[in-house]
Amino acid sequence: MSTAPAYSEDKGGSAGPGEPEYGHDPASGGIFSSDYKRHDDLKEMLDTNKDSLKLEAMKRIVAMIARGKNASDLFPAVVKNVACKNIEVKKLVYVYLVRYAEEQQDLALLSISTFQRGLKDPNQLIRASALRVLSSIRVPIIVPIMMLAIKEAASDMSPYVRKTAAHAIPKLYSLDSDQKDQLIEVIEKLLADKTTLVAGSVVMAFEEVCPERIDLIHKNYRKLCNLLIDVEEWGQVVIISMLTRYARTQFLSPTQNESLLEENPEKAFYGSEEDEAKGPGSEEAATAALPARKPYVMDPDHRLLLRNTKPLLQSRSAAVVMAVAQLYFHLAPKAEVGVIAKALVRLLRSHSEVQYVVLQNVATMSIKRRGMFEPYLKSFYIRSTDPTQIKILKLEVLTNLANETNIPTVLREFQTYIRSMDKDFVAATIQAIGRCATNIGRVRDTCLNGLVQLLSNRDELVVAESVVVIKKLLQMQPAQHGEIIKHLAKLTDNIQVPMARASILWLIGEYCEHVPKIAPDVLRKMAKSFTAEEDIVKLQVINLAAKLYLTNSKQTKLLTQYVLSLAKYDQNYDIRDRARFTRQLIVPSEQGGALSRHAKKLFLAPKPAPILESSFKDRDHFQLGSLSHLLNAKATGYQELPDWPEEAPDPSVRNVEVPEWTKCSNREKRKEKEKPFYSDSEGESGPTESADSEPESESESESKSSSESGSGESSSDSDNEDEDEEKGGGSESEQSEEEGGKKKTKKKVPEGHREGSSSEEGSDSSSSSSESEVTSESEEEQAEPASRRKKTPPSSKSAPVAKEISLLDLEDFTPPSVQPVSPPMVVSTSLAADLEGLTLTDSSLVPSLLSPVSSIGRQELLHRVAGEGLAVDYAFSRQPFSGDPHMVSIHIYFSNNSETPIKGLHVGTPKLPAGISIQEFPEIESLPPGESTTAVMGINFCDSTQAANFQLCTQTRQFYVSIQPPVGELMAPVFMSENEFKKEQGKLTGMNEITEKLTLPDTCRNDHMVVQKVTATANLGRVPCGTSDEYRFAGRTLTSGSLVLLTLDARPAGPAQLTVNSEKMVIGTMLVKDVIQALTQ
Amino acid sequence: MSRPSRASNTTKMIHSLFLINCSGDIFLEKHWKSVVSQSVCDYFFEAQEKAADVENVPPVISTPHHYLISIYRDKLFFVSVIQTEVPPLFVIEFLHRVADTFQDYFGECSEAAIKDNVVIVYELLEEMLDNGFPLATESNILKELIKPPTILRSVVNSITGSSNVGDTLPTGQLSNIPWRRAGVKYTNNEAYFDVVEEIDAIIDKSGSTVFAEIQGVIDACIKLSGMPDLSLSFMNPRLLDDVSFHPCIRFKRWESERVLSFIPPDGNFRLISYRVSSQNLVAIPVYVKHSISFKENSSCGRFDITIGPKQNMGKTIEGITVTVHMPKVVLNMNLTPTQGSYTFDPVTKVLAWDVGKITPQKLPSLKGLVNLQSGAPKPEENPSLNIQFKIQQLAISGLKVNRLDMYGEKYKPFKGVKYVTKAGKFQVRT
């Protein structure tokens, strides 16, 4: 232990002699007197001017509070220090205040003004902490002050203060519920907040104050879904459980017409296709109010929720995983629920408390959806070291999972459990065997035999439990088991456990015809020991006697009378009653003939066999993961999970007009309007989901380029126009994939397959359906460059400049056909130059777009000494690479400084990091001595500054070389208007915004220099700007096409401010550094 | 004590926390709302008594006015008081986070450490929950708010009277990267990763594997200045069947490229945990030959176990211990180990054999006689053997880190990866 007992050492310095050892003082009288004394010196210490003494006193007071001792008489002395300058003293005073303010309300008011001052502090943390303490003081008189403070804080600049405001809402509400209406207003306001920091807290406040106001969620639903992954863990749990409830009220049940589907496979086909594919057609269908019998179509928002929660199954927090699991269980279509099993099984490795809760939930789920956990059967095997409560739960799950096919393994496993030393567990195992036997007819006899063998077990508990279970099993088919009953009858001599004895007696009585000889003898024995038996046994003896009297009165008449007489004088009134009742029934007396005539029917009526079922059956009417589910009883404050509505409420309530979520506010084109929303969220989704947003409309490339707020990868599978022409084919194949896709997570790509293929899973639905897919997948490209070349051109970046480049590109390059769709806003530098006179009216823009020279210039790739005469340089040409728009085009300059010609120059097999790919230059057959030549190659750096290492090979030699791009070369300029720029910038805030202050040297104070320096550092295009001291630049990263927006605010006074907005945070950070370096040099 | 006067429906989440030691003393209490009397713990004690065994205390107990959700960690019970419906795992997860934080701050989560640092503990609890709802639980942020105790600091503090509360206000909670504190500076920049794999297995009597899987974690110790952005890639990422991530990891990068990309928290943390499922054949590195028998009607039995290496890929297996819970009728054991030493505790009936390393030339064995209570029937079952071992420099799944790249900072960090394979819940049935 490396820690030092800081506190006790401090204490040693100044504590009074009477200080008892912490935690060892019971609140005895002797201590009390010293308490008073000690409090006096504490008061003294608090009154001094020395912070160290005050601190010491406060520490001791807090220690008292921690022990649960009363320190309330110090209130006046402590509250004086609320304005103390020392932060630590202040904090401890806060701790004290929060604890005792409720008890000393008048005095507590003295402190309020300090907090009110704190609320106005320029430091956000002080504002927040003032609000936090103020709202924690449970003094009703300050409710108006709190209300005011919360309202103000809710519109604070700082998200942290807003978060604190959200936390304060439930506190105020519990203090004074009359404030509800006002608080709801604040909640509504905070719900609209876009920061992840606030989201969890405000939903928590919503759940506590006004969970019934589901209407407040509509407008924020999509935002919450999209933010979810970035919210902190605790917030995620709260939001997920709220959204589960929301979804149950707003969407249709995904399983509602499963029965319908079974009847009509054709419909099933359509239904599921639309459900997964969500083609434009299905969307229209979704918006139209659908009649009940129409095939089920999942609301896109319902899908969104499922898609965005799925990644959270991989959270480290068990609570989050469980929250998602219950969401899937309650909301997902049957076929998709399976994904949660793996995550839940993973949790079984966690702390035993977590296991306990998870197993309870798994037990419930496994009854409803057995198939889901079947693959994980072995994960529920029991170890002798598991705590008993865990063992029993695992056993429950194993029993639920047992079926015709796996029962042999399960039974073998049970066999080992029976020999455990933990007897409670053994008893539970026997019960479990009984349940397996009733559920699976095939093994009934095996189980029964096994149980009969257990009857000779030395442990009485085991035998007793077996008897009880056997009794239940025998009831199902008594006729065949006379032998077993005889065996059981013999046991009555030895077995002492009352329940077992009772069970045997009942069995013999019930089936006395099968053992006509033994039964009276057993009764004889029991009559002998009657007085010594337990009550339940006595009742069964009476029962047996009555039954035998009815069937075999000749032999047992006297015995029965004897037993009944004994019972008549028993101490227990139940037994006396029973005896009297039985006697009246079976022994015909003078007047009671009516009943006794039917006595046989009454006693020997055929009884239905008991059904052994899980105690977890039907627990799923409680929301899984909830406290109520765990307790199997409604906990205070539990909210029932609502049933699915019959008809879906209007889905348009969730439409938001704000540009963040819907790019084109054009209402007529709903299709288009929704599009950006999909591509937007697609990036978040797991591999199986990529299918969802696949068939893109024609306007897609445009809407996409302006959407992308949350996804780096989204463009890679969707920026292809060819794809939508093949819409039909696409969705079909994807449907088939989705069918197989249920097990997709398990799909193993062969080990040899290179790393770069990882993106393949994400996009293979589309790449398999439409061959012309352009993805960032490099290897395929390398494998078949030519065929690819022909198909790729539509990507607009390369197309217009293809001719120009083809001069440099020595490969046989077929110019692409004319662009079918108007190009998106990406304009290459050279194209911009061509269009200069036409479009670019802002003169200041031209030089910026026209500076294709990288600041780096030519760099050495291979020194001539190292290269044995071959010198190689390279430069970033900043021209789009013709073959693949995702590649950075690099000019390679070779010069032969040796005496001999160098032959067969080409690129050798590169070993590249994941994702990076190279388009090699065509082989240079021969380079005569003294000559130079150039070539162009393309490298897809995958938006990272990782070096591309490859070999330069000549006929004789191989040289290892590497090219590492500066971050500025990983992008291509984009032309956009100021408004577009602002709009995009608005979407890339928060995590995606990096701001840095810098001092511009005087040399950089003019437009030209700034533009020059920025564009030299990064391949960005200038965006026109209204204000003179502001510069804006825009570009897109090459591989993912993510926007990179750079703003330089160079006001004459004060430091300049550089802001980069990009969802590629790493690129953004590095770019800021590079640009600052360039500008300040 | 004032009970919460209104039985309002709005007091959600965690109401109070009690820390209780094994002998049943409540040695710390903290209330985030109105005070709940200690007497509520009586329900807990009742359940504890019924359970007979600390492990079997139900984590959730329902009482007339409250619900108690508890965890058992390091011989301490953390009992939280809940008033209304709340996901139990939410509370359990939080309580474990509290225990983790204590562990992190004091080096151990023990009664003594908590009592010694009671003020820090109180301050931590104050920051971690606000009105019963978790506020700051990331260790990086807490450490900025409340400095952990060190020997030096406590000496200095006692002289100067200054304290362990950070005098600068934390920025982490405000930043976009809530798990990393700002302004980290090191003279030596280092990043270490420990790949620790545990083999969970059940081996049956005949030596065949009933169940086996590998549970792995990558623990990181990152001491890097500034805001480094790391990406860690594997040679064979597809091995990882089921992974859970620290929140710092960019999920999308993993989904698309199978690369772990993250801005790390400062200090020690668990980067990922993963499972390599039993479908891939798990190599079991040791085998055990055992013969344990108890004679009918005599008060002795024989005990003989031998351990040997199976497939250890050229690495030595070390740190082997065998733990056996013998049946209750065993009075004593009289054994001779060929290697290592053994102890038998006649009270708990636990036999522990500390074997050490396996040398393939001479396999370690432990044989001898078992004395049974005379007259008692012979035990029904043979005890199962729990085995622990360790193999350095090996990840049994074959997982290999390919490379670690750092972006965003200019310096060159020192990087290291260590592999260890251990036995997890490794049980041999006899």
Side-chain angles (χ1 to χ4, degrees), chain A residues 600-620:
Chain A
K600 206 162 187 172
K601 263 189 204 157
L602 285 171
F603 276 98
L604 293 166
K607 298 170 184 70
I611 302 157
L612 301 175
E613 56 187 19
S614 166
S615 57
F616 285 87
K617 197 164 177 277
D618 293 334
R619 268 224 211 166
D620 64 329

Side-chain angles (χ1 to χ4, degrees), chain A residues 1-7 10 22 52 55 59 62-63 65-66 68 88 91-92 95 99 102 123-125 132 138 160 167 171 173-175 197 204 208 233-234 237-238 311 314-319 322 342 345-346 349 351 353-354 356-357 378-379 381-385 387-389 413 416-417 419-421 457-458 625-628 630-631 635-636 638 683 686-687 710-713 751 755 758-759 761 945-946 990-991 1066 1073, chain B residues 6 10 12 27-29 33-35 55-60 67 70-73 83-90 92-94 96-97 105-106 108 115-119 122-123 126-127 129-131 133-135 137-138 151 154 158 161 163-165 169-170 173-174 176 198 200 202 205 210-211 215 229 236-238 241-247 251-252 255-257 275 296 325 327 377-378 380-381 384 386 405 407-408 425 427 429:
Chain A
M1 190 183 93
S2 65
T3 56
Y7 170 58
D10 287 351
Y22 171 73
S52 58
L55 182 60
K59 280 185 170 178
V62 167
I65 296 174
E88 165 119 46
K91 273 186 116 175
L92 297 179
V95 170
R99 168 70 180 78
E102 205 172 1
N123 185 330
Q124 48 178 343
L125 287 156
R132 205 180 140 194
R138 290 170 294 274
Y160 183 62
H167 274 263
K171 300 187 212 170
Y173 181 61
S174 67
L175 201 58
L197 207 54
M204 184 266 301
E208 300 220 357
E233 292 155 340
W234 315 109
V237 177
V238 177
Q314 282 174 304
S315 169
R316 67 168 169 175
S317 159
M322 191 65 232
K342 192 194 268 186
V345 169
R346 185 182 68 231
R349 193 70 187 358
H351 301 286
E353 297 88 8
V354 176
Y356 178 80
V357 178
K378 288 188 171 178
S379 301
Y381 279 9
I382 294 157
R383 294 181 167 77
S384 60
T385 42
T388 311
Q389 52 184 356
E413 197 51 29
T416 46
Y417 300 161
R419 297 184 302 141
S420 166
M421 285 180 258
N457 194 294
R458 202 172 292 124
S626 68
L627 184 62
S628 306
L630 191 78
L631 298 168
T636 332
Y638 173 74
S711 62
E713 284 87 73
E751 197 59 54
E755 236 310 276
S758 54
S759 64
E761 255 190 30
T945 55
Q946 293 181 78
M991 291 269 269
V1066 184
K1073 282 201 170 167
Chain B
R6 69 199 81 221
T10 61
K12 279 211 178 169
F27 66 96
L28 189 120
E29 63 179 73
K33 295 168 190 177
S34 313
V35 176
E55 279 180 318
N56 279 317
V57 181
V60 182
Y67 304 98
S70 63
I71 63 161
Y72 180 68
R73 271 279 289 263
Q83 277 203 318
T84 51
E85 170 65 47
V86 62
L89 272 183
F90 185 97
I92 289 169
E93 183 81 25
F94 176 80
H96 278 295
R97 206 63 69 82
Y105 262 70
F106 314 129
E108 58 170 355
K115 281 180 173 177
D116 285 347
N117 297 291
V118 68
V119 174
Y122 229 64
E123 282 169 341
E126 186 74 30
E127 289 300 333
L129 276 187
D130 179 17
N131 195 38
F133 191 80
L135 189 61
T137 50
E138 283 298 333
I151 295 175
S154 67
S158 65
S163 65
N164 50 347
V165 165
L169 291 163
Q173 209 153 10
L174 310 171
N176 296 320
E198 296 193 350
D200 281 4
I202 301 176
K205 217 172 187 160
V210 178
F211 166 78
Q215 301 277 356
D229 193 321
N236 38 10
R238 280 170 203 288
D241 186 36
D242 180 23
V243 194
S244 71
F245 299 113
H246 189 275
F251 183 73
K252 273 191 270 168
E255 279 294 275
S256 63
E257 297 163 51
R275 199 158 55 112
E296 195 71 61
H325 290 260
K378 80 168 185 134
E380 284 281 327
E381 75 154 356
S384 48
N386 294 299
D405 295 301
Y407 307 98
K425 299 174 175 173
Q427 202 159 77
R429 293 175 176 164

Side-chain angles (χ1 to χ4, degrees), chain A residues 951-963:
Chain A
Q951 295 169 15
L952 267 183
C953 306
T954 67
Q955 268 183 345
T956 50
R957 291 287 316 239
Q958 294 180 341
F959 306 106
Y960 290 90
V961 292
S962 104
I963 296 180

Side-chain angles (χ1 to χ4, degrees), chain A residues 809-1013:
Chain A
D809 192 357
L810 302 171
E811 256 186 345
D812 54 334
F813 177 76
T814 28
S817 54
V818 188
Q819 275 288 50
V821 184
S822 66
M825 286 161 287
V826 185
V827 179
S828 79
T829 49
S830 31
L831 177 64
D834 289 345
L835 299 175
E836 186 186 342
L838 297 168
T839 51
L840 310 176
T841 46
D842 187 340
S843 58
S844 71
L845 201 60
V846 182
S848 71
L849 279 176
L850 278 183
S851 61
V853 205
S854 162
S855 62
I856 296 160
R858 270 167 76 150
Q859 294 200 322
E860 189 170 75
L861 190 60
L862 184 64
H863 191 265
R864 68 186 157 86
V865 177
E868 296 175 4
L870 176 68
V872 187
D873 287 357
Y874 70 95
F876 293 96
S877 65
R878 290 207 170 170
Q879 271 148 347
F881 188 68
S882 54
D884 180 343
H886 298 315
M887 288 195 165
V888 178
S889 144
I890 296 168
H891 281 211
I892 317 267
Y893 305 88
F894 303 94
S895 58
N896 185 352
N897 297 325
S898 71
E899 313 289 83
T900 49
I902 294 169
K903 288 188 176 160
L905 253 175
H906 66 279
V907 173
T909 43
K911 268 195 191 150
L912 297 167
I916 295 192
S917 58
I918 290 186
Q919 178 62 55
E920 336 168 349
F921 54 85
E923 182 170 324
I924 298 169
E925 278 173 18
S926 172
L927 188 62
E931 292 281 314
S932 298
T933 185
T934 60
V936 181
M937 66 186 288
I939 302 182
N940 182 348
F941 284 102
C942 217
D943 289 353
S944 79
T945 55
Q946 293 181 78
N949 299 309
F950 55 93
Q951 295 169 15
L952 267 183
C953 306
T954 67
Q955 268 183 345
T956 50
R957 291 287 316 239
Q958 294 180 341
F959 306 106
Y960 290 90
V961 292
S962 104
I963 296 180
Q964 185 168 24
V967 66
E969 301 303 326
L970 296 174
M971 48 199 78
V974 171
F975 175 71
M976 54 169 69
S977 72
E978 187 173 3
N979 280 342
E980 284 167 329
F981 185 92
K982 283 186 174 158
K983 210 165 97 187
E984 293 299 334
Q985 196 176 26
K987 271 179 271 161
L988 292 168
T989 52
M991 291 269 269
N992 297 321
E993 182 170 280
I994 298 133
T995 307
E996 202 71 55
K997 285 207 173 13
L998 69 156
T999 326
L1000 283 178
D1002 291 337
T1003 49
C1004 271
R1005 283 284 178 190
N1006 68 63
D1007 280 13
H1008 183 70
M1009 276 306 284
V1010 170
V1011 173
Q1012 160 111 47
K1013 287 200 167 175

